PDB file of all heavy atoms in Angstrom:
ATOM      1  N   ARG A   1       0.832  -1.212   0.000  1.00 93.00           N
ATOM      2  CA  ARG A   1       0.000   0.000   0.000  1.00 93.00           C
ATOM      3  C   ARG A   1       0.866   1.263   0.000  1.00 93.00           C
ATOM      4  O   ARG A   1       0.553   2.239  -0.668  1.00 93.00           O
ATOM      5  CB  ARG A   1      -0.959  -0.007   1.193  1.00 93.00           C
ATOM      6  CG  ARG A   1      -2.103  -0.992   1.042  1.00 93.00           C
ATOM      7  CD  ARG A   1      -3.225  -0.716   2.035  1.00 93.00           C
ATOM      8  NE  ARG A   1      -2.761  -0.760   3.417  1.00 93.00           N
ATOM      9  CZ  ARG A   1      -2.671  -1.870   4.161  1.00 93.00           C
ATOM     10  NH1 ARG A   1      -3.008  -3.032   3.633  1.00 93.00           N
ATOM     11  NH2 ARG A   1      -2.262  -1.807   5.408  1.00 93.00           N
ATOM     12  N   THR A   2       1.977   1.225   0.736  1.00 94.00           N
ATOM     13  CA  THR A   2       2.897   2.371   0.749  1.00 94.00           C
ATOM     14  C   THR A   2       3.515   2.573  -0.634  1.00 94.00           C
ATOM     15  O   THR A   2       3.607   3.703  -1.132  1.00 94.00           O
ATOM     16  CB  THR A   2       4.002   2.164   1.810  1.00 94.00           C
ATOM     17  OG1 THR A   2       3.383   1.995   3.091  1.00 94.00           O
ATOM     18  CG2 THR A   2       4.957   3.345   1.849  1.00 94.00           C
ATOM     19  N   LEU A   3       3.930   1.474  -1.279  1.00 94.00           N
ATOM     20  CA  LEU A   3       4.486   1.566  -2.632  1.00 94.00           C
ATOM     21  C   LEU A   3       3.451   2.131  -3.604  1.00 94.00           C
ATOM     22  O   LEU A   3       3.773   2.963  -4.449  1.00 94.00           O
ATOM     23  CB  LEU A   3       4.958   0.192  -3.114  1.00 94.00           C
ATOM     24  CG  LEU A   3       6.140  -0.420  -2.370  1.00 94.00           C
ATOM     25  CD1 LEU A   3       6.401  -1.835  -2.874  1.00 94.00           C
ATOM     26  CD2 LEU A   3       7.381   0.431  -2.496  1.00 94.00           C
ATOM     27  N   GLU A   4       2.219   1.671  -3.467  1.00 92.00           N
ATOM     28  CA  GLU A   4       1.131   2.167  -4.316  1.00 92.00           C
ATOM     29  C   GLU A   4       1.014   3.681  -4.183  1.00 92.00           C
ATOM     30  O   GLU A   4       0.929   4.402  -5.188  1.00 92.00           O
ATOM     31  CB  GLU A   4      -0.173   1.487  -3.904  1.00 92.00           C
ATOM     32  CG  GLU A   4      -1.376   1.860  -4.713  1.00 92.00           C
ATOM     33  CD  GLU A   4      -2.634   1.126  -4.235  1.00 92.00           C
ATOM     34  OE1 GLU A   4      -2.521   0.087  -3.551  1.00 92.00           O
ATOM     35  OE2 GLU A   4      -3.730   1.607  -4.552  1.00 92.00           O
ATOM     36  N   ALA A   5       1.048   4.193  -2.958  1.00 92.00           N
ATOM     37  CA  ALA A   5       0.948   5.633  -2.738  1.00 92.00           C
ATOM     38  C   ALA A   5       2.139   6.362  -3.355  1.00 92.00           C
ATOM     39  O   ALA A   5       1.966   7.404  -4.002  1.00 92.00           O
ATOM     40  CB  ALA A   5       0.871   5.920  -1.240  1.00 92.00           C
ATOM     41  N   LEU A   6       3.349   5.828  -3.167  1.00 92.00           N
ATOM     42  CA  LEU A   6       4.536   6.465  -3.738  1.00 92.00           C
ATOM     43  C   LEU A   6       4.443   6.542  -5.257  1.00 92.00           C
ATOM     44  O   LEU A   6       4.783   7.559  -5.859  1.00 92.00           O
ATOM     45  CB  LEU A   6       5.796   5.694  -3.331  1.00 92.00           C
ATOM     46  CG  LEU A   6       6.203   5.787  -1.857  1.00 92.00           C
ATOM     47  CD1 LEU A   6       7.304   4.784  -1.548  1.00 92.00           C
ATOM     48  CD2 LEU A   6       6.645   7.198  -1.506  1.00 92.00           C
ATOM     49  N   LEU A   7       3.980   5.463  -5.881  1.00 91.00           N
ATOM     50  CA  LEU A   7       3.903   5.424  -7.344  1.00 91.00           C
ATOM     51  C   LEU A   7       2.795   6.342  -7.869  1.00 91.00           C
ATOM     52  O   LEU A   7       2.916   6.886  -8.962  1.00 91.00           O
ATOM     53  CB  LEU A   7       3.692   3.988  -7.821  1.00 91.00           C
ATOM     54  CG  LEU A   7       4.889   3.060  -7.585  1.00 91.00           C
ATOM     55  CD1 LEU A   7       4.505   1.602  -7.794  1.00 91.00           C
ATOM     56  CD2 LEU A   7       6.057   3.436  -8.480  1.00 91.00           C
ATOM     57  N   VAL A   8       1.750   6.522  -7.089  1.00 89.00           N
ATOM     58  CA  VAL A   8       0.670   7.432  -7.506  1.00 89.00           C
ATOM     59  C   VAL A   8       1.146   8.880  -7.487  1.00 89.00           C
ATOM     60  O   VAL A   8       0.842   9.647  -8.390  1.00 89.00           O
ATOM     61  CB  VAL A   8      -0.580   7.245  -6.612  1.00 89.00           C
ATOM     62  CG1 VAL A   8      -1.547   8.410  -6.757  1.00 89.00           C
ATOM     63  CG2 VAL A   8      -1.283   5.944  -6.947  1.00 89.00           C
ATOM     64  N   VAL A   9       1.929   9.256  -6.482  1.00 87.00           N
ATOM     65  CA  VAL A   9       2.344  10.654  -6.383  1.00 87.00           C
ATOM     66  C   VAL A   9       3.600  10.967  -7.195  1.00 87.00           C
ATOM     67  O   VAL A   9       3.909  12.134  -7.429  1.00 87.00           O
ATOM     68  CB  VAL A   9       2.561  11.095  -4.909  1.00 87.00           C
ATOM     69  CG1 VAL A   9       1.279  10.956  -4.119  1.00 87.00           C
ATOM     70  CG2 VAL A   9       3.703  10.338  -4.256  1.00 87.00           C
ATOM     71  N   ALA A  10       4.318   9.945  -7.653  1.00 86.00           N
ATOM     72  CA  ALA A  10       5.558  10.165  -8.408  1.00 86.00           C
ATOM     73  C   ALA A  10       5.253  10.704  -9.800  1.00 86.00           C
ATOM     74  O   ALA A  10       4.297  10.292 -10.442  1.00 86.00           O
ATOM     75  CB  ALA A  10       6.348   8.867  -8.516  1.00 86.00           C
ATOM     76  N   SER A  11       6.114  11.603 -10.262  1.00 81.00           N
ATOM     77  CA  SER A  11       5.925  12.173 -11.597  1.00 81.00           C
ATOM     78  C   SER A  11       6.680  11.378 -12.668  1.00 81.00           C
ATOM     79  O   SER A  11       6.550  11.663 -13.850  1.00 81.00           O
ATOM     80  CB  SER A  11       6.384  13.626 -11.611  1.00 81.00           C
ATOM     81  OG  SER A  11       7.759  13.699 -11.270  1.00 81.00           O
ATOM     82  N   GLN A  12       7.468  10.393 -12.245  1.00 86.00           N
ATOM     83  CA  GLN A  12       8.224   9.571 -13.194  1.00 86.00           C
ATOM     84  C   GLN A  12       8.400   8.184 -12.593  1.00 86.00           C
ATOM     85  O   GLN A  12       8.173   7.991 -11.404  1.00 86.00           O
ATOM     86  CB  GLN A  12       9.581  10.203 -13.474  1.00 86.00           C
ATOM     87  CG  GLN A  12      10.454  10.337 -12.241  1.00 86.00           C
ATOM     88  CD  GLN A  12      11.689  11.181 -12.512  1.00 86.00           C
ATOM     89  OE1 GLN A  12      11.762  11.894 -13.500  1.00 86.00           O
ATOM     90  NE2 GLN A  12      12.673  11.083 -11.641  1.00 86.00           N
ATOM     91  N   PRO A  13       8.790   7.206 -13.411  1.00 90.00           N
ATOM     92  CA  PRO A  13       8.995   5.858 -12.876  1.00 90.00           C
ATOM     93  C   PRO A  13      10.034   5.844 -11.756  1.00 90.00           C
ATOM     94  O   PRO A  13      11.005   6.598 -11.789  1.00 90.00           O
ATOM     95  CB  PRO A  13       9.494   5.066 -14.092  1.00 90.00           C
ATOM     96  CG  PRO A  13       8.953   5.808 -15.269  1.00 90.00           C
ATOM     97  CD  PRO A  13       8.991   7.258 -14.872  1.00 90.00           C
ATOM     98  N   LEU A  14       9.803   4.994 -10.754  1.00 92.00           N
ATOM     99  CA  LEU A  14      10.711   4.868  -9.625  1.00 92.00           C
ATOM    100  C   LEU A  14      11.364   3.490  -9.650  1.00 92.00           C
ATOM    101  O   LEU A  14      10.681   2.486  -9.853  1.00 92.00           O
ATOM    102  CB  LEU A  14       9.959   5.047  -8.305  1.00 92.00           C
ATOM    103  CG  LEU A  14       9.295   6.407  -8.085  1.00 92.00           C
ATOM    104  CD1 LEU A  14       8.467   6.398  -6.804  1.00 92.00           C
ATOM    105  CD2 LEU A  14      10.337   7.511  -8.023  1.00 92.00           C
ATOM    106  N   SER A  15      12.665   3.448  -9.432  1.00 93.00           N
ATOM    107  CA  SER A  15      13.392   2.179  -9.409  1.00 93.00           C
ATOM    108  C   SER A  15      13.154   1.479  -8.078  1.00 93.00           C
ATOM    109  O   SER A  15      12.709   2.084  -7.102  1.00 93.00           O
ATOM    110  CB  SER A  15      14.883   2.418  -9.607  1.00 93.00           C
ATOM    111  OG  SER A  15      15.414   3.076  -8.469  1.00 93.00           O
ATOM    112  N   VAL A  16      13.485   0.186  -8.041  1.00 94.00           N
ATOM    113  CA  VAL A  16      13.370  -0.576  -6.794  1.00 94.00           C
ATOM    114  C   VAL A  16      14.233   0.074  -5.718  1.00 94.00           C
ATOM    115  O   VAL A  16      13.818   0.198  -4.560  1.00 94.00           O
ATOM    116  CB  VAL A  16      13.762  -2.060  -7.022  1.00 94.00           C
ATOM    117  CG1 VAL A  16      13.895  -2.794  -5.699  1.00 94.00           C
ATOM    118  CG2 VAL A  16      12.736  -2.748  -7.918  1.00 94.00           C
ATOM    119  N   ALA A  17      15.439   0.528  -6.086  1.00 95.00           N
ATOM    120  CA  ALA A  17      16.326   1.164  -5.113  1.00 95.00           C
ATOM    121  C   ALA A  17      15.693   2.435  -4.538  1.00 95.00           C
ATOM    122  O   ALA A  17      15.764   2.680  -3.322  1.00 95.00           O
ATOM    123  CB  ALA A  17      17.673   1.492  -5.764  1.00 95.00           C
ATOM    124  N   GLU A  18      15.070   3.244  -5.395  1.00 94.00           N
ATOM    125  CA  GLU A  18      14.415   4.474  -4.918  1.00 94.00           C
ATOM    126  C   GLU A  18      13.241   4.147  -4.006  1.00 94.00           C
ATOM    127  O   GLU A  18      13.028   4.797  -2.978  1.00 94.00           O
ATOM    128  CB  GLU A  18      13.926   5.316  -6.102  1.00 94.00           C
ATOM    129  CG  GLU A  18      15.056   5.948  -6.903  1.00 94.00           C
ATOM    130  CD  GLU A  18      14.579   6.568  -8.200  1.00 94.00           C
ATOM    131  OE1 GLU A  18      13.752   5.943  -8.913  1.00 94.00           O
ATOM    132  OE2 GLU A  18      15.045   7.685  -8.508  1.00 94.00           O
ATOM    133  N   LEU A  19      12.477   3.113  -4.375  1.00 94.00           N
ATOM    134  CA  LEU A  19      11.333   2.709  -3.549  1.00 94.00           C
ATOM    135  C   LEU A  19      11.803   2.144  -2.211  1.00 94.00           C
ATOM    136  O   LEU A  19      11.202   2.418  -1.166  1.00 94.00           O
ATOM    137  CB  LEU A  19      10.472   1.688  -4.303  1.00 94.00           C
ATOM    138  CG  LEU A  19       9.711   2.247  -5.505  1.00 94.00           C
ATOM    139  CD1 LEU A  19       9.158   1.125  -6.366  1.00 94.00           C
ATOM    140  CD2 LEU A  19       8.588   3.169  -5.045  1.00 94.00           C
ATOM    141  N   ALA A  20      12.884   1.368  -2.228  1.00 95.00           N
ATOM    142  CA  ALA A  20      13.427   0.800  -0.987  1.00 95.00           C
ATOM    143  C   ALA A  20      13.901   1.924  -0.062  1.00 95.00           C
ATOM    144  O   ALA A  20      13.664   1.899   1.148  1.00 95.00           O
ATOM    145  CB  ALA A  20      14.561  -0.166  -1.299  1.00 95.00           C
ATOM    146  N   GLU A  21      14.567   2.929  -0.643  1.00 95.00           N
ATOM    147  CA  GLU A  21      15.050   4.058   0.164  1.00 95.00           C
ATOM    148  C   GLU A  21      13.883   4.832   0.764  1.00 95.00           C
ATOM    149  O   GLU A  21      13.909   5.193   1.936  1.00 95.00           O
ATOM    150  CB  GLU A  21      15.914   4.981  -0.702  1.00 95.00           C
ATOM    151  CG  GLU A  21      16.512   6.131   0.085  1.00 95.00           C
ATOM    152  CD  GLU A  21      17.367   7.048  -0.774  1.00 95.00           C
ATOM    153  OE1 GLU A  21      17.837   6.614  -1.843  1.00 95.00           O
ATOM    154  OE2 GLU A  21      17.565   8.207  -0.370  1.00 95.00           O
ATOM    155  N   ALA A  22      12.850   5.087  -0.052  1.00 94.00           N
ATOM    156  CA  ALA A  22      11.700   5.861   0.421  1.00 94.00           C
ATOM    157  C   ALA A  22      10.925   5.137   1.516  1.00 94.00           C
ATOM    158  O   ALA A  22      10.421   5.769   2.450  1.00 94.00           O
ATOM    159  CB  ALA A  22      10.772   6.195  -0.747  1.00 94.00           C
ATOM    160  N   THR A  23      10.840   3.818   1.422  1.00 94.00           N
ATOM    161  CA  THR A  23      10.079   3.045   2.408  1.00 94.00           C
ATOM    162  C   THR A  23      10.932   2.616   3.593  1.00 94.00           C
ATOM    163  O   THR A  23      10.395   2.185   4.619  1.00 94.00           O
ATOM    164  CB  THR A  23       9.478   1.777   1.766  1.00 94.00           C
ATOM    165  OG1 THR A  23      10.540   0.969   1.241  1.00 94.00           O
ATOM    166  CG2 THR A  23       8.475   2.129   0.693  1.00 94.00           C
ATOM    167  N   GLY A  24      12.251   2.716   3.452  1.00 94.00           N
ATOM    168  CA  GLY A  24      13.131   2.243   4.513  1.00 94.00           C
ATOM    169  C   GLY A  24      13.123   0.731   4.618  1.00 94.00           C
ATOM    170  O   GLY A  24      13.414   0.159   5.666  1.00 94.00           O
ATOM    171  N   ASP A  25      12.784   0.059   3.519  1.00 94.00           N
ATOM    172  CA  ASP A  25      12.711  -1.405   3.497  1.00 94.00           C
ATOM    173  C   ASP A  25      13.768  -1.941   2.544  1.00 94.00           C
ATOM    174  O   ASP A  25      14.390  -1.184   1.808  1.00 94.00           O
ATOM    175  CB  ASP A  25      11.309  -1.840   3.046  1.00 94.00           C
ATOM    176  CG  ASP A  25      10.818  -3.075   3.778  1.00 94.00           C
ATOM    177  OD1 ASP A  25      11.620  -4.025   3.916  1.00 94.00           O
ATOM    178  OD2 ASP A  25       9.653  -3.082   4.205  1.00 94.00           O
ATOM    179  N   ASP A  26      13.962  -3.256   2.555  1.00 93.00           N
ATOM    180  CA  ASP A  26      14.994  -3.809   1.667  1.00 93.00           C
ATOM    181  C   ASP A  26      14.437  -4.100   0.279  1.00 93.00           C
ATOM    182  O   ASP A  26      13.230  -4.287   0.098  1.00 93.00           O
ATOM    183  CB  ASP A  26      15.661  -5.058   2.274  1.00 93.00           C
ATOM    184  CG  ASP A  26      14.709  -6.226   2.407  1.00 93.00           C
ATOM    185  OD1 ASP A  26      14.437  -6.885   1.385  1.00 93.00           O
ATOM    186  OD2 ASP A  26      14.234  -6.472   3.535  1.00 93.00           O
TER     187      ASP A  26
END
């Protein structure tokens, strides 16, 4: 659900590394 929110508000594609950093997860 957190990833879903990040991808909805992002203006461009996000890499796994960017998503991991934003969520603080691996």
Side-chain angles (χ1 to χ4, degrees):
R1 287 196 302 274
T2 302
L3 294 175
E4 182 180 340
L6 290 170
L7 292 167
V8 164
V9 299
S11 60
Q12 61 190 16
L14 298 174
S15 69
V16 169
E18 290 170 317
L19 291 167
E21 183 180 338
T23 59
D25 217 315
D26 66 78

